[in-house]
Amino acid sequence: MCQSINKKKAVLDAKIDTSASALRLHLLEKELEDLEAKVRATKQRIQEEKDLIAGSRQEAEALTSELKADLAELSNLSKQVVPGADEDDEAVLVEVDRIRLDAIAAIDAFLQ
C-alpha cells in the first residue's frame, strides 16, 4: 500500500510540477512574438512596395501628360509652317542678302 501511495504521490508531484510545461509555454510565446514581428516587417515592406508602385504610376501619368502637351505643341507648330516651294524662299533670302550688301556698301561709301 505504501508503494502504491508513493507512486501516486510521485505522479501527483509530476503533475504539480509545471516548470517544464511553463518553459515550453514560454518558448511557444517567444516563437509567436518572433513570428508576429516578421509579419509586421513583411506588411511594412508590402506597404513600401505599394507606395513605390503608386509613385511610379503618378510619375508615369505626369510624364504622359507632358508628352501629350509636347506633341500638341509640335502639332500646332507644324500647322504654322507656311507651305510653298523652297525656290520661293531662296529667292527671298537672296533678295534680302542683296539689300544687306547694298546697305553695307552705302555705309562704307558714306564713311569714306
Side-chain angles (χ1 to χ4, degrees), residues 58-72:
Q58 289 173 348
E59 288 177 21
E61 288 173 5
L63 289 172
T64 299
S65 296
E66 287 179 26
L67 183 59
K68 286 180 180 179
D70 290 346
L71 289 173

Side-chain angles (χ1 to χ4, degrees), residues 62-105:
L63 289 172
T64 299
S65 296
E66 287 179 26
L67 183 59
K68 286 180 180 179
D70 290 346
L71 289 173
E73 183 179 350
L74 183 61
S75 176
N76 288 335
L77 288 175
S78 69
K79 291 176 185 175
Q80 294 175 5
V81 173
V82 178
D86 289 342
E87 293 81 21
D88 295 339
D89 294 338
E90 289 173 6
V92 170
L93 292 174
V94 168
E95 179 64 20
V96 169
D97 193 45
R98 187 191 58 75
I99 293 170
R100 182 183 64 81
L101 291 174
D102 288 347
I104 291 172

